[in-house]
Amino acid sequence: MSEKKLSKGDQVEWNSHGSKAEGKVEKKITSETEAGGRTVRASTDEPQYLVKSDKSGGEAVHKPSALKKK
């Protein structure tokens, strides 16, 4: 599976509690860190992305497979 090419500022959408959420990529996470209110276990081979919701302003962390570039 090839990694999606997402960059800071990209507009994306994802499923959130049964509906679609939209927001922007804040940063790519490539190491274990605290983000989005939880411990994120990411690596260079399996990165995750910190996204910020346009509607709520809340932050969340998602795998590339959960994000759809708009």
Side-chain angles (χ1 to χ4, degrees):
M1 181 171 96
S2 65
E3 178 191 339
K4 292 182 183 178
K5 299 296 181 195
L6 296 171
S7 302
K8 181 176 179 175
D10 283 351
Q11 191 71 26
V12 293
E13 68 179 20
W14 62 94
N15 290 324
S16 177
H17 307 288
S19 62
K20 293 276 187 201
E22 296 182 6
K24 289 185 181 171
V25 174
E26 293 289 306
K27 71 177 183 175
K28 181 178 182 177
I29 301 170
T30 56
S31 62
E32 186 172 318
T33 188
E34 293 287 328
R38 66 181 179 90
T39 300
V40 178
R41 301 204 193 307
S43 66
T44 303
D45 292 335
E46 294 186 25
Q48 296 193 39
Y49 291 89
L50 178 67
V51 294
K52 186 171 185 177
S53 170
D54 288 342
K55 186 175 180 179
S56 71
E59 292 183 335
V61 178
H62 293 288
K63 293 181 179 180
S65 60
L67 299 171
K68 181 180 176 185
K69 194 170 179 178
K70 293 193 72 165

